[in-house]
Structure formats: structure tokens, C-alpha cells
Amino acid sequence: MPMAAADIERMIKEALPDATVEIKDLAGDGDHYAATVVSEAFRGKSRVQQHQLVYAALKGKMGGVLHALALTTSAPA
């Protein structure tokens, strides 16, 4: 069963309340998304650490209900 973009955004914002989150359904199938996440929590962290924070927010859904997520992360400018 696909995961709704709104659910992805909600889960990320629950873990990173200050985050600006933009989700795009890449294939229109609810399984392949791109997400851009901007959060102060990323400041000073490596790209890998930033992505780990987002994956942790998704609580094990990545690779299961959420098949693919192209992720872009950054701290606010």
C-alpha cells in the first residue's frame, strides 16, 4: 500500500518541528517521492547525518511502505 505525501510531511515535521518540507510524487504512484527538507537541526551535521535524521523521522517506513525517497536536506540560509 503506498504512503501519502501528507503522511511523509507530517512524520518529518513531528520529528523536526521547525522544518520546511516539500514533497513531490515522482511517478504518481505513491511509492516514489522526492523531498526537500530545511531545518536548523541540520546545521553543522554532515549530509549523511542529516539524512539519518529524516529516515529516523519516518520510523522504519523507508524501504517498506515508502519504496523510494530522493532526499535533499539543508540548514536554513
Side-chain angles (χ1 to χ4, degrees), residues 1 3 5 8 13 17 20-22 24-25 27 29 31-32 36 47 52 54-55 59 61 68-70 73 75-77:
M1 178 176 191
M3 188 168 184
I8 298 168
K13 286 189 170 192
T20 300
V21 181
E22 181 182 334
K24 293 181 183 171
D25 188 340
D29 60 4
D31 281 331
H32 300 85
T36 301
R47 186 77 45 178
Q52 287 172 335
V54 175
Y55 293 143
K59 302 175 183 172
K61 304 279 187 205
L69 181 66
T73 56

Side-chain angles (χ1 to χ4, degrees), residues 8-60:
I8 298 168
E9 182 175 354
R10 179 186 50 76
M11 292 176 82
I12 293 171
K13 286 189 170 192
E14 283 175 1
L16 303 165
D18 74 313
T20 300
V21 181
E22 181 182 334
I23 307 285
K24 293 181 183 171
D25 188 340
L26 297 176
D29 60 4
D31 281 331
H32 300 85
Y33 290 99
T36 301
V37 183
V38 179
S39 173
E40 189 60 42
F42 299 148
R43 190 168 308 281
K45 293 189 172 32
S46 71
R47 186 77 45 178
V48 169
Q49 291 170 320
Q50 294 174 18
H51 287 206
Q52 287 172 335
L53 286 172
V54 175
Y55 293 143
L58 296 172
K59 302 175 183 172

